[in-house]
Amino acid sequence: MSTAVVALPAVPRTLARRLVPLQIAVGLQGLILWVPVEKLFMTQIGFTPRTVGLMAAAYAAVVPLLEVPSGILADRWSRNQIMVCASVALLASTLLGGLSTNVATYIAAAMILGVYFALNSGTVDSIVYDAVLEETGASDQYETWIGRTRMVESGAFVASALAGGVLAGWSSARFTYFASLPFAAVAIAAFHRFDEPRLHRVAEPVALRRHVALTYRTMIREPGVRQVMLLAALVGLLSQAVFEFGPLWLVALAAPAALFGPYWAALVSTLGVGGYLTSRLNLDRRAALSVLALAAPAAAFSLTQTDALAAVIAAQVVLALLLAIISIRAGKLLHDGVPSNLRAGVSSGVGTLSWVLFLPFSLVFGWFARAHGVQQAGWFLTAAALLVAFLLIAPVLRRHPKPVAVSAPQPDEFACKELVELVTGYFDGVLPPELKGKFQTHLAGCDGCVEYVRQIGVTIRALKEADLHLAPAASRDPDLSGH
């Protein structure tokens, strides 16, 4: 019996260099030193449990309201500039929060922070996906590079969790806000240094109203997109539940106060560890997805069965880690299913759907936990994890196995980028014969570019269904029809 060896694509050095400013900017955004001492500072300026709830409600109203509109704006304008605006919002929120001396001012700062999260939602993922597609001609390395970006972000979160507490003890909780300002400012400069992908600008511009309609139509009417969006939203819901409600298990088990800092750092670190593991795993394999689908509900179920503090912490960390991996997988599936000029808007829709699901979930979870204890409330996490597992594994079970190629020639990197530059002329039917021949020859040997052109074809057909004015040459060329 012979063993087939699959040739793995080499990592283009240009892609690595290109993503460095983005990774630096994302890491700088994550250095928010005031997060670990925020509740302490809030009590110092007069917050009560009632006003904390009011602040959470104001914040929760801003994020889902702005996520999809900001994603559509990123698709139409510039995703990089949206990230610059997000950093400006983070800077303004941090400054106003540090200057706050009363509840009303701090609630205003929290709402501006909601703007930051709304602008951020789905944008970085879309940028990384398009950068990988533009540089390599395929999306195969997306999970690797978004995983590495998540590692940088997670490292910043862990550093903030540890350094923020130390800094507050050395000075004051208020000082941590002002100490965070330089990081947000430098993040703006780093985003300006990043060479933004331009795939989302290839398609012909359309009216804003039509673009909005097409984005929502894609989210609602495409069955494959709907399923992946639900998977990603449920993963987001479950992850948020672990971070929001996980400490309640420690409170119920009378954990010492000194344990909460390391516990929180361990939870936050799962974002980076999950990114690292995703870059090493082959999530196209049925076995790998099956392990994830079995392990996540098992970790959630263990929270309903044990009173041992160490076991509870281990189960929560494992569950958060598995969800970080599944989240990256869901992101790739979502980006694979939508064209570039709709990518950020649809991706932001996941965040909105996650919020819509989380609000009633959190209310029911909180009521049940008060009535029956947090351990029994863990059944809600188990049920959500089972649904995530089903949505993750169902497409794989329906898929027919494909033969594994021993090796495949890699597309020429320059030719892939050249195809991106020529694709508009190809749509319009104005390419000279020699360029059109070169275009079609490259398509014949590059699966990634075939997928890219197919996605543009999907956009063209959807726009036609919306009665948009498109170049007639796009419909005449059978290569764009996906058949």
Side-chain angles (χ1 to χ4, degrees):
M1 181 181 296
S2 61
T3 303
V5 178
V6 180
L8 297 178
V11 178
R13 288 193 297 175
T14 53
L15 176 59
R17 289 195 301 267
R18 184 175 183 178
L19 289 176
V20 165
L22 177 70
Q23 292 169 336
I24 291 174
V26 169
L28 290 168
Q29 280 187 332
L31 291 173
I32 310 175
L33 300 174
W34 49 265
V35 167
V37 295
E38 180 186 24
K39 296 300 186 289
L40 172 63
F41 179 72
M42 290 168 62
T43 59
Q44 292 174 352
I45 62 175
F47 270 86
T48 64
R50 183 181 66 84
T51 51
V52 169
L54 180 62
M55 183 203 73
Y59 169 84
V62 169
V63 179
L65 189 65
L66 294 181
E67 276 185 311
V68 175
S70 67
I72 293 173
L73 179 61
D75 286 331
R76 292 182 62 83
W77 179 37
S78 166
R79 292 168 186 166
N80 207 41
Q81 292 303 316
I82 286 292
M83 292 306 300
V84 170
C85 293
S87 297
V88 171
L90 176 61
L91 190 70
S93 172
T94 300
L95 178 60
L96 184 59
L99 294 173
S100 296
T101 57
N102 56 64
V103 171
T105 307
Y106 197 87
I107 289 179
M111 294 178 71
I112 298 174
L113 186 67
V115 174
Y116 159 72
F117 281 111
L119 295 177
N120 224 335
S121 175
T123 307
V124 172
D125 294 5
S126 300
I127 290 173
V128 173
Y129 187 94
D130 278 1
V132 171
L133 193 60
E134 198 170 275
E135 291 287 345
T136 68
S139 64
D140 297 342
Q141 296 186 40
Y142 166 76
E143 291 168 325
T144 296
W145 285 99
I146 193 63
R148 294 182 183 183
T149 304
R150 292 283 178 261
M151 288 170 60
V152 174
E153 185 179 41
S154 174
F157 288 157
V158 173
S160 296
L162 299 176
V166 173
L167 188 60
W170 172 73
S171 55
S172 67
R174 186 183 298 274
F175 181 75
T176 61
Y177 286 78
F178 301 123
S180 302
L181 294 174
F183 300 113
V186 179
I188 295 173
F191 279 122
H192 278 300
R193 294 293 303 273
F194 176 63
D195 180 17
E196 178 186 6
R198 293 169 176 81
L199 292 181
H200 62 292
R201 300 181 183 178
V202 170
E204 182 178 344
V206 298
L208 175 60
R209 183 172 62 87
R210 298 295 189 179
H211 193 149
V212 172
L214 181 58
T215 299
Y216 280 100
R217 185 179 295 112
T218 301
M219 291 190 287
I220 296 171
R221 295 186 182 179
E222 293 290 335
V225 174
R226 285 203 311 264
Q227 181 172 323
V228 176
M229 283 188 66
L230 182 58
L231 169 63
L234 285 172
V235 171
L237 176 152
L238 195 49
S239 297
Q240 190 170 355
V242 171
F243 281 88
E244 290 287 342
F245 302 126
L248 296 179
W249 267 266
L250 276 68
V251 173
L253 296 175
L259 187 61
F260 280 80
Y263 156 79
W264 187 255
L267 273 186
V268 172
S269 69
T270 59
L271 301 175
V273 177
Y276 172 79
L277 292 177
T278 303
S279 68
R280 300 293 178 180
L281 296 173
N282 181 2
L283 295 182
D284 289 321
R285 295 178 58 193
R286 182 178 300 182
L289 291 179
S290 299
V291 170
L292 292 175
L294 292 172
F301 174 73
S302 65
L303 292 173
T304 69
Q305 301 298 309
T306 181
D307 291 324
L309 186 59
V312 164
I313 293 175
Q316 291 188 19
V317 170
V318 169
L319 179 57
L321 176 62
L322 295 170
L323 292 172
I325 297 173
I326 297 172
S327 175
I328 293 175
R329 175 62 180 178
K332 181 180 185 300
L333 294 176
L334 183 66
H335 293 317
D336 282 345
V338 297
S340 181
N341 62 326
L342 302 178
R343 187 160 289 141
V346 174
S347 184
S348 297
V350 171
T352 300
L353 179 58
S354 183
W355 272 103
V356 169
L357 296 175
F358 180 75
L359 289 178
F361 179 90
S362 62
L363 292 175
V364 174
F365 184 96
W367 166 79
F368 195 88
R370 284 196 304 271
H372 303 283
V374 70
Q375 186 181 62
Q376 291 303 310
W379 284 105
F380 288 92
L381 302 184
T382 304
L386 285 170
L387 188 52
V388 166
F390 171 76
L391 292 172
L392 179 67
I393 203 68
V396 178
L397 297 178
R398 292 196 299 265
R399 186 189 308 158
H400 296 293
K402 296 180 181 180
V404 179
V406 175
S407 62
Q410 298 302 312
D412 178 48
E413 180 185 335
F414 174 78
C416 292
K417 290 194 287 187
E418 185 180 33
L419 180 139
V420 171
E421 298 296 330
L422 296 176
V423 73
T424 301
Y426 188 64
F427 287 169
D428 294 336
V430 297
L431 289 183
E434 64 275 10
L435 283 180
K436 184 172 183 179
K438 182 178 180 182
F439 189 102
Q440 293 173 330
T441 299
H442 180 75
L443 275 182
C446 181
D447 292 339
C449 287
V450 169
E451 174 61 20
Y452 168 64
V453 173
R454 186 195 68 79
Q455 289 187 14
I456 297 298
V458 169
T459 305
I460 291 173
R461 292 195 300 274
L463 291 172
K464 282 189 171 184
E465 290 174 3
D467 296 324
L468 297 176
H469 178 66
L470 296 174
S475 62
R476 290 198 302 264
D477 199 323
D479 292 323
L480 302 179
S481 65
H483 299 295

